[in-house]
Amino acid sequence: MPTSVPRGPLRTSMHLEQSTVEIELNAAIIAVTNDEPVVLTVKDAADAAGATEGLPFGPFSPIDHRTLEIGLRSWVADQTGLELGYVEQLYTFGDRGRHAQVGDTRPPVVSIGYLALTRALQAEGLQSGIWRSWYHFFPWEDWRKGRPEILDSVMEPELRRWAQSNQGRPSSARPLDRNQRIRVCFGFDGVAWDEEKVLERLELLYEAGLLAEAHRDRPEAASLMNVPERTLGSPMRFDHRRILATAIGRVRAKIKYRPVIFELMPDEFTLFELQKTVEAILGPHLHKQNFRRLVESAGLVEPTGQMKTRTGGRPAKLFSFRREVLLERPAPGVRVKPQRV
């Protein structure tokens, strides 16, 4: 007859250990306002200087909320006044010590990250929090005016110096050495830049000790950095910049095979407004005629028959998202191929 194991304690080979984990829900809430991709941030109440921002977050209560997503929507509405539309789960973040401080005896925290997309009009109805450009935290990701100068003037020298240390040999865990990883992630030495590798770039900068979060988590990493902390973007509380990087990479990839870009658009828009929104998300500038031809030939939009008058310009046709495309093919995204300078 099988022996039952009591529920609650975790049985190990040596002893019984009480298993207690707190579940937290984090939301990377993204909108595009004035052609700028923005994310909703909140101040850290425990930070006396009020300098550290983070993503909205709150605990999951299985008593109050039937599902994780219901819990997320509920406390986001309570905290910010936003009623979320499109929401999808990103990843579970549970690295040991993500909330721990020296001498901390509280239970470990496992955070479930979510990506949420909202429209500019809804973003304007915010009751609390601050909308920040996501390039405020990731300045090297903005290619709309060409290759960011910070890549060559600051990041490449620092990363090369780190790669030359005697810890850069490949291993079974990392088959590429440090120089190879730098080239793949940051597009050095003629390697193509991949706009979707946002998280990989952030984690490499963290490993190299070039981010403020690395100094906070690993005090010994402070000696590795030769540039001021905020040169490489503003830090965020805990691992919230990592969650945001995951969200940015996800939405950059997803707009190419699903029509999620229209979750960020008003009901009616011009093709120029749609192009500027796609550019804001992806980073690089897009060729105007190629973009319009691609969108129209893919059947993603349809004309409304109305015109919009722009200040100092000719009237432009208004379009709306053509929802029938969802029934016509399995991957109706904006399959753009960014051209980079």
Side-chain angles (χ1 to χ4, degrees), residues 71-301:
L72 179 85
R73 291 177 182 275
S74 176
W75 61 252
V76 167
D78 290 343
Q79 289 183 11
T80 70
L82 284 178
E83 295 291 340
L84 295 181
Y86 179 91
V87 169
E88 69 170 89
Q89 192 175 123
L90 284 172
Y91 190 71
T92 300
F93 300 83
D95 292 356
R96 193 169 104 187
R98 75 180 292 270
H99 281 211
Q101 304 296 325
V102 176
D104 194 354
T105 58
R106 292 175 297 178
V109 177
V110 171
S111 181
I112 301 174
Y114 282 83
L115 165 67
L117 304 178
T118 189
R119 295 180 177 180
L121 289 177
Q122 295 164 313
E124 292 172 0
L126 188 67
Q127 293 178 5
S128 62
I130 303 170
W131 290 105
R132 291 281 191 203
S133 169
W134 72 30
Y135 297 125
H136 177 73
F137 305 103
F138 301 89
W140 58 88
E141 296 289 341
D142 189 357
W143 285 65
R144 290 173 293 179
K145 296 181 179 179
R147 183 179 177 86
E149 188 270 341
I150 194 174
L151 278 171
D152 300 316
S153 65
V154 177
M155 299 173 73
E156 183 172 12
E158 288 298 311
L159 287 168
R160 297 291 194 191
R161 184 175 64 83
W162 170 72
Q164 290 171 1
S165 71
N166 59 8
Q167 300 175 17
R169 302 184 184 89
S171 67
S172 57
R174 297 192 180 279
L176 300 180
D177 65 28
R178 289 182 175 180
N179 267 311
Q180 290 169 326
R181 291 167 60 205
I182 290 169
R183 292 177 60 206
V184 168
C185 286
F186 290 92
F188 296 141
D189 301 333
V191 177
W193 174 271
D194 185 345
E195 62 273 357
E196 297 175 24
K197 292 186 181 297
V198 187
L199 178 61
E200 291 88 336
R201 284 187 281 272
L202 185 78
E203 291 187 329
L204 192 54
L205 291 169
Y206 179 92
E207 185 182 343
L210 299 178
L211 299 179
E213 289 92 333
H215 306 168
R216 178 194 63 206
D217 300 343
R218 309 185 339 252
E220 70 279 6
S223 61
L224 300 175
M225 190 172 181
N226 291 330
V227 296
E229 276 190 354
R230 292 177 181 263
T231 301
L232 301 185
S234 291
M236 301 183 81
R237 66 184 316 209
F238 303 136
D239 56 357
H240 290 196
R241 192 151 48 149
R242 184 172 181 238
I243 298 173
L244 179 55
T246 307
I248 296 173
R250 174 73 63 84
V251 73
R252 282 181 168 182
K254 198 151 192 175
I255 65 173
K256 298 172 186 176
Y257 64 91
R258 298 298 298 167
V260 294
I261 193 66
F262 298 102
E263 300 290 343
L264 301 167
M265 302 298 300
D267 291 334
E268 296 183 349
F269 48 84
T270 67
L271 291 184
F272 179 74
E273 290 168 341
L274 179 61
Q275 178 181 337
K276 299 301 285 185
T277 300
V278 173
E279 288 176 344
I281 295 295
L282 287 181
H285 175 69
L286 303 173
H287 187 277
K288 180 179 178 181
Q289 296 304 324
N290 288 349
F291 176 81
R292 294 189 174 204
R293 190 161 42 245
L294 176 68
V295 170
E296 290 180 321
S297 64
L300 295 172
V301 299

Side-chain angles (χ1 to χ4, degrees), residues 10-72:
L10 257 185
R11 182 176 296 278
T12 67
S13 58
M14 298 295 294
H15 61 278
L16 293 176
E17 180 180 304
Q18 185 68 34
S19 175
T20 305
V21 175
E22 293 181 359
I23 298 178
E24 182 179 278
L25 306 175
N26 288 78
I29 306 171
I30 291 169
V32 175
T33 60
N34 299 319
D35 301 330
E36 194 69 22
V38 293
V39 60
L40 180 59
T41 67
V42 293
K43 293 285 188 179
D44 182 357
D47 183 0
T52 305
E53 296 178 21
L55 301 175
F57 70 97
F60 170 66
S61 171
I63 296 176
D64 299 326
H65 308 128
R66 181 170 55 84
T67 68
L68 294 168
E69 185 175 319
I70 289 174
L72 179 85

